[in-house]
Amino acid sequence: MWFAILMSAAAKSAVILAAGWIAGRILYKQSAAARHMVWTAALTALLVLPFLSAILPALPIPLGAPAAPELVFQQTATTAMDAGTQIAPAIPLKPGGRRAAWHPAWSAWLLLLWAAGAAMTLARITLAYSAAAHLRRTAAPSGEHALCTAMARSLGIRHAVEVLAVKPGSMPMAIGALRPAILMPADAGGWSEERRRVVLLHELAHIRRGDPCTNLLAHIAAALYWWNPLAWLATREFVKEAERAADDLVLNSGARASAYAGHLLEIARSLQGSPAIAWAAVGMARRSQLERRLSAILDRGVNRNTPSRVAIVAAAVLAIAAIVPLAALRGQQPTAQAVATDIDAAISAARSQKNYESLDTAARAATLLGQYETAQKLLETALAIRAQKSGEQSVEYGLGLIKLAEAQQRRDPKAGADLYARAARILGDRPEAARALTHLGVAAIGQHNYEQAFDDFERARQADPTHAGTSLMWMASARRAAHQMDEAERLYQMALSVQDPKSADAAVIMRVYAHFLRLQGHADRAGEFDNQAAEVARATAQPVPPLLPGVSRAGGSVTHPVPLLRPEPQYSDEARAALLEGTVVLRVVIGIDGKPQEALIVRSLGLGLDEMALEAVNQWRFKPGAKDGQPVPVAATIEVNFRLL
């Protein structure tokens, strides 16, 4: 989770820093204080970005469906129409019982490298502040306290500011994020009164502006994004504008520009800063910035205005309005390959947080990879958490039983019946019971117990009237399996009459009814319903996000991936019992390791066939496509045809 959050923050930080540069260029005629306010907002945004991304709900981005990639692979799954025949489990992910090849957890290594760099930089900051605190404890009071107090009041500083004497020849500086103090060289008593006044005024200007505190925030932000040169450039601009803003405040307080520039030049030439506390202090002069500072001090046309409180509040509101939606933006959800490698750790975390939803999500991803034992382990733990949190007679517990039963069925088609029955008893007449009752009815059809199946489907219709069309379709399927064709047709027509004709469920019913009509010799009517189902499916299809940057399309200099392993999809019990056939279309990206990535449903079929297609495609292996001899990710479309014999 943190890897995903930090990778997202890394991408979004570039947007924030770019916005800071643009705003700085737009405000080049404004005061240094205004530009410093922009950089303060940008660096603060970098600090809060990962945490906002973790706690804010996801902000969906509506995206249009792209054109299908030109590269198309096809696969066909067939099954007999005898509903009593059981279906074998899906082909294992690794054929022949061989162990999967070891691959380094590169995401963990990247996360570790990021953390190590941040820790080293934060350690340097900590050492600097520790050295500054030690210097402050050992420094003697300076004789400039009275002068400093008077000047602080003139700047509107209401709290006391310590003035401490450090070794001779030291650079004057302000330290202390919470309790600011000014460090003056012990030989400052030999300076002229004017120099002492401008030096104190400059450091008090930093304190008045809150620079010791914002300086700490800026360096922490740079530490967290230590690998990004833009963050260090932003910090440099932040420090530069802070010094210029302090200069402007000194000049606005009545200091003569020429005299102030002269004192600043002499201090920069004759005094030395302390490298040990450089990151914890706001020094008066840096030689690298001196030329431009002196030019700005002597330029009478420079804007030296200080932003008003209204402007500061407005800037803060704009920054929040920009950072919150940016932090809430989410990339694509992790694919099946993102299943946690440490299942025990995931289970332990879910137990401590009583978060069964996270285990449900991980179990779905494991199922798509064919990792049925892992999925069952996750769902068994989720069920225990549901019992602890809501009780064994709760709706949530009943739903958990259904999820676990479905996972067991993937491993063994004959399993799960007792769990479905328990779930149905717990859920009673609630709408949620319809799901368990439907599973029980499908199992009854497979056992040729058609009257029991009909009763189960009837109970499902009564429990959940909002899906009455689907329940009627199943009742018709039970009558059709019992060779009661007239009654079956009546029920199919009833199902279509009560179902919303523009819904995905209606498309399923139309396809099932079309196959029934075709078996009865009414091919023309069957074709009409097939066409209607196709139109409804197109209208109800979810938008498919565009391909990520770096993904190629086959053709030209990009060679086609070559399938090496193509396990055949399996029919779901539901689709087989209802006699549903058709085509599931998926968009995949074939990675440089030859494995499908980002598998997404472009055209759905329903009744579990979408999941069966995903499971099979996730087990395909390819010789990857290449560009100029180097493997590259290539987009492809896979059509999985489900046919009844």
Side-chain angles (χ1 to χ4, degrees), residues 58-188:
L59 179 64
I61 311 174
L63 298 169
E70 297 178 359
L71 182 59
V72 178
F73 297 99
Q74 292 185 335
Q75 176 74 305
T76 299
T78 59
T79 188
M81 287 190 292
D82 178 8
T85 305
Q86 297 293 342
I87 301 169
I91 297 174
L93 179 61
K94 295 293 179 181
R98 292 176 294 175
R99 292 173 63 94
W102 178 84
H103 296 283
W106 60 268
S107 60
W109 282 109
L110 281 179
L111 190 59
L112 183 62
L113 179 62
W114 186 328
M120 292 175 62
T121 313
L122 289 171
R124 182 176 176 183
I125 295 173
T126 302
L127 290 174
Y129 274 86
S130 298
H134 176 74
L135 183 61
R136 181 172 184 167
R137 287 194 303 269
T138 58
S142 172
E144 308 297 337
H145 179 73
L147 178 60
C148 178
T149 300
M151 297 179 69
R153 289 175 180 171
S154 68
L155 289 176
I157 301 174
R158 303 188 183 279
H159 56 83
V161 178
E162 283 187 296
V163 184
L164 303 172
V166 293
K167 68 178 183 179
S170 298
M171 179 70 66
M173 58 188 67
I175 64 171
L178 300 179
R179 293 188 304 112
I182 297 174
L183 303 183
M184 295 283 285
D187 54 354

Side-chain angles (χ1 to χ4, degrees), residues 398-411:
L399 293 175
L401 287 172
I402 295 173
K403 292 177 186 290
L404 182 56
E406 290 171 342
Q408 289 185 357
Q409 258 190 334
R410 294 296 176 90
R411 298 181 63 189

Side-chain angles (χ1 to χ4, degrees), residues 465-552:
T466 59
H467 292 85
T470 300
S471 297
L472 284 164
M473 179 201 73
W474 282 117
M475 293 165 66
S477 297
R479 292 303 188 216
R480 186 262 314 150
H483 303 290
Q484 300 176 16
M485 299 306 179
D486 292 341
E487 179 67 8
E489 180 161 8
R490 184 183 70 82
L491 290 168
Y492 280 130
Q493 292 176 356
M494 283 183 61
L496 289 173
S497 67
V498 301
Q499 184 65 46
D500 179 1
K502 296 182 180 180
S503 66
D505 287 343
V508 173
I509 297 171
M510 290 173 188
R511 288 193 179 100
V512 171
Y513 185 38
H515 188 80
F516 173 83
L517 291 172
R518 196 170 287 110
L519 291 177
Q520 301 303 306
H522 304 298
D524 293 341
R525 290 179 61 198
E528 292 176 2
F529 280 107
D530 280 332
N531 292 334
Q532 291 182 38
E535 292 178 4
V536 173
R538 283 192 294 269
T540 57
Q542 294 295 320
V544 179
L547 294 172
L548 296 175
V551 177
S552 303

Side-chain angles (χ1 to χ4, degrees), residues 616-636:
V617 167
N618 277 321
Q619 298 173 40
W620 285 28
R621 295 296 178 262
F622 295 81
K623 177 184 177 182
K627 182 177 182 180
D628 301 326
Q630 297 297 320
V632 293
V634 176

